[in-house]
Amino acid sequence: VGCDRSKNLVDICGEKHFQAFVCDALSVPIRSGSCDACISIAVIHHFSTAERRLAAIRELARLLRPGGMALIYVWAMEQEYKNQKSKYLKEKNGSKNKEKEMNTGTAQRLLSDQGSDNSSQDSAWSDQLLNDLKDEGCGAKPAADSRLPVHTNRTSFHSQDLLVPWHLKGSTKKKEESVDTVLVPGGSKESQELSPVFHRYYHVFCEGELEAVCRSLDCVRVQKSYYDQGNWCVILEKL
């Protein structure tokens, strides 16, 4: 049984004859202790506060029966780990058009984080958690004044909290209605019209951070914590 915040994605699952429904990951309408296993792939890094990220993991634990297992994947701050680049970085030159899609102006400017509602208590909790981590080599830079940097696709991360451009493909808008432009590489003054660009919030995790959040819950045990192709991953067991 799958669930997602996006009705369109859930509809695709239905077309493929999978069981899925729309819901919020912080409040899943499934009975407590009824799941043998849960997976959360590329979800928790979209929550904008430490409190919500913890709540999402607590909700996973609630669904599990005693002895049940959960697998969690989140995007890693460290896209180059043990001298190995992640697939994300390696794909930088994998498409002729990928880099052309980068909006030069958008990538450089800072955007207001309209969805930010970090409380002082939440920030203090997050700061304390990070201070407790053994590894201090993450090099994360806090976002100042509630403004978030826009990430340049297929490059290393320079901030833990950021916005990642998402280019809408197959837009039905006419060419003259295009909402974004990009400078052609090489200093040319010509511009290339693009599909609409949206920005998704991410909190990329430093080494040890996801594991530390999981260990703060007394209802689960961390069975395994590891790095996999630019992601930090944890396997939990419900106690």
Side-chain angles (χ1 to χ4, degrees), residues 79-91:
Q79 288 298 304
E80 188 166 346
Y81 186 67
K82 294 184 177 179
N83 298 320
Q84 293 289 326
K85 289 186 177 180
S86 69
K87 184 178 180 182
Y88 175 71
L89 293 184
K90 289 179 179 178
E91 288 182 349

Side-chain angles (χ1 to χ4, degrees), residues 106-138:
T106 302
Q108 298 300 324
R109 74 174 182 263
L110 295 176
L111 298 183
S112 297
D113 178 18
Q114 298 176 353
S116 178
D117 59 353
N118 293 19
S119 65
S120 57
Q121 180 180 2
D122 205 32
S123 297
W125 186 92
S126 180
D127 291 342
Q128 181 61 44
L129 174 65
L130 291 176
N131 288 336
D132 290 342
L133 298 180
K134 295 180 180 179
D135 177 71
E136 297 180 353
C138 186

